[in-house]
């Protein structure tokens, strides 16, 4: 499971996404991609290989936007390739998603969605999520559509969803994959790991399992992902410097890696199809 970063605010989003992804490079990855909303449309750029290659690919393009999502992928379903790199988009190019984790029941969902006419463009488990949201999306009901999608899936996920129809909103959902929200002044960040956001803010809110965050420029709301019941969460002030943050508060990388072993073993079993 690899890295994600989202941003919504007033700053230029592309450099924030690329810098954030670079801070997550230490986790390893096989491909990278970003999506932004620009002139009411979703623009995606992704590639197999390094973030600096992605950076080169988009250099010189006019990508002025202040909302977007980025992802580094460590393939679990489908080979490392540009088509399988995240973000993934729905049939009508309106809704886009990034995902860390594994969707255990994706095959049955995929078969059903294909029967219903959805066109798949990747081999990933992730792509079913965006088609499910598309199926439930009735225009301006992104939150509800994401909640309906969540009820259909099993597995581990940290998800970021964005729609060109509601260009001032980001939705994040977490279950068994880490997500942290960073709070700035009229801006929010979300990342799978602290180093991606610490250069911008020290105020963070941790999402817990089965929680959903809805972010606009002005407001953050958090609720239970299955029921929509709203929640009050504590904002914490991080004292670590960026180096300490990369070590997750541990004194040494080795200690961090030792403590991460249970999660790594769980992820490995999940990617082999031995989910529980
Ligand atoms: N299962 C997804 C895929 O294979 C996400 C992998 C990840 O966490 O990077 O694309």
């Amino acid at each position: 499971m690899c890295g994600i970063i989202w941003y919504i605010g007033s700053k230029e989003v592309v450099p924030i996404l690329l810098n954030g992804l670079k801070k997550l490079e230490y986790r390893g990855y096989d491909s990278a991609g970003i999506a932004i909303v620009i002139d009411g449309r979703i623009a995606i750029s992704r590639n197999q290989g390094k973030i600096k290659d992605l950076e080169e690919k988009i250099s010189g393009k006019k990508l002025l936007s202040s909302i977007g999502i980025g992802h580094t992928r460590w393939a679990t379903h489908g080979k490392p390739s540009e088509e399988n790199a995240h973000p993934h988009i729905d049939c009508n190019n309106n809704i886009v998603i990034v995902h860390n984790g594994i969707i255990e029941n994706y095959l049955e969902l995929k078969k059903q969605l294909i029967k219903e006419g959805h066109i798949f463009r990747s081999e990933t488990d992730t792509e079913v999520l965006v088609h499910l949201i598309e199926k439930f999306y009735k225009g301006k009901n992104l939150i509800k559509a994401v909640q309906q999608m969540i009820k259909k899936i099993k597995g581990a996920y940290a998800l970021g969803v964005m729609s060109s129809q509601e260009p001032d909103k980001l939705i994040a959902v977490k279950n068994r994959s880490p997500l942290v929200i960073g709070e700035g002044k009229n801006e929010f960040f979300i990342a799978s790991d602290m180093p991606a956001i610490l250069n911008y803010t020290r105020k963070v809110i941790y999402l817990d399992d089965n929680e959903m965050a809805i972010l606009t420029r002005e407001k953050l709301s958090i609720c239970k992902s299955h029921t929509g019941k709203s929640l009050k969460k504590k904002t914490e002030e991080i004292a670590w410097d960026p180096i300490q943050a990369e070590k997750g508060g541990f004194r040494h990388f080795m200690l961090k890696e030792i403590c991460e072993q249970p999660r790594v073993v769980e992820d490995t079993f999940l990617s082999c199809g031995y989910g529980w």
Side-chain angles (χ1 to χ4, degrees):
M1 296 188 195
C2 236
I4 18 188
I5 165 100
W6 296 240
Y7 175 77
I8 180 164
S10 54
K11 297 193 180 96
E12 217 182 295
V13 70
V14 173
I16 293 175
L17 297 180
L18 292 173
N19 288 337
L21 291 180
K22 282 182 195 161
K23 294 280 179 202
L24 300 173
E25 271 190 306
Y26 76 97
R27 301 184 67 87
Y29 63 102
D30 56 57
S31 43
I34 59 168
I36 60 172
V37 178
I38 187 162
D39 301 330
R41 287 188 313 111
I42 304 249
I44 297 184
S45 193
R46 50 192 190 163
N47 71 314
Q48 191 189 338
K50 295 287 165 205
I51 294 161
K52 70 171 174 30
D53 301 329
L54 178 67
E55 210 167 7
E56 266 167 38
K57 191 169 173 177
I58 59 180
S59 77
K61 289 194 181 155
K62 239 180 148 197
L63 295 173
L64 281 181
S65 173
S66 54
I67 176 169
I69 56 187
H71 186 263
T72 47
R73 176 177 188 238
W74 192 309
T76 64
H77 294 69
K79 61 183 173 299
S81 68
E82 186 173 327
E83 296 71 42
N84 289 336
H86 301 210
H88 292 288
I89 198 156
D90 69 320
C91 301
N92 291 308
N93 299 331
N94 285 331
I95 304 163
V96 75
I97 198 162
V98 291
H99 164 223
N100 273 359
I102 288 158
I103 305 304
E104 292 158 27
N105 60 335
Y106 86 99
L107 259 185
E108 57 190 88
L109 293 169
K110 186 169 177 173
K111 278 188 202 143
Q112 181 59 33
L113 287 160
I114 289 173
K115 256 196 219 155
E116 291 170 13
H118 290 264
I119 309 289
F120 278 74
R121 305 180 232 191
S122 80
E123 304 158 328
T124 63
D125 51 338
T126 301
E127 200 183 339
V128 296
L129 306 176
V130 77
H131 291 289
L132 276 175
I133 300 172
E134 178 178 34
K135 170 174 161 163
F136 297 125
Y137 195 63
K138 305 280 179 251
K140 309 271 180 205
N141 73 334
L142 192 62
I143 300 171
K144 197 146 179 253
V146 173
Q147 272 164 351
Q148 283 174 284
M149 175 273 286
I150 290 294
K151 289 187 184 140
K152 299 278 177 202
I153 62 170
K154 291 193 196 113
Y157 45 84
L159 299 176
V161 184
M162 189 169 78
S163 165
S164 60
Q165 312 290 295
E166 296 174 57
D168 296 316
K169 191 178 287 161
L170 285 179
I171 299 183
V173 195
K174 169 187 154 42
N175 187 40
R176 287 166 33 204
S177 285
L179 272 187
V180 59
I181 301 171
E183 201 183 325
K185 199 164 174 263
N186 293 333
E187 62 180 2
F188 291 100
F189 306 78
I190 307 196
S192 52
D193 204 357
M194 202 77 82
I197 58 176
L198 275 193
N199 280 344
Y200 305 102
T201 181
R202 294 298 166 123
K203 283 188 180 167
V204 302
I205 299 142
Y206 295 97
L207 267 195
D208 289 312
D209 282 351
N210 299 312
E211 289 182 357
M212 174 192 271
I214 299 128
L215 298 105
T216 62
R217 286 179 177 81
E218 300 77 31
K219 201 170 141 218
L220 161 71
S221 336
I222 300 178
C223 63
K224 285 277 181 201
S225 53
H226 289 72
T227 60
K229 184 177 178 286
S230 67
L231 298 167
K232 279 210 164 30
K233 304 273 297 191
K234 209 169 74 213
T235 306
E236 295 179 31
E237 196 84 30
I238 296 296
W240 306 335
D241 64 38
I243 301 291
Q244 284 171 317
E246 277 179 26
K247 294 182 193 156
F250 292 99
R251 280 181 61 202
H252 310 287
F253 277 113
M254 188 185 282
L255 208 51
K256 183 180 183 220
E257 281 164 19
I258 290 169
C259 290
E260 280 179 351
Q261 279 175 7
R263 206 183 79 211
V264 173
V265 172
E266 184 180 349
D267 291 350
T268 309
F269 274 103
L270 281 170
S271 65
C272 299
Y274 299 112
W276 43 77

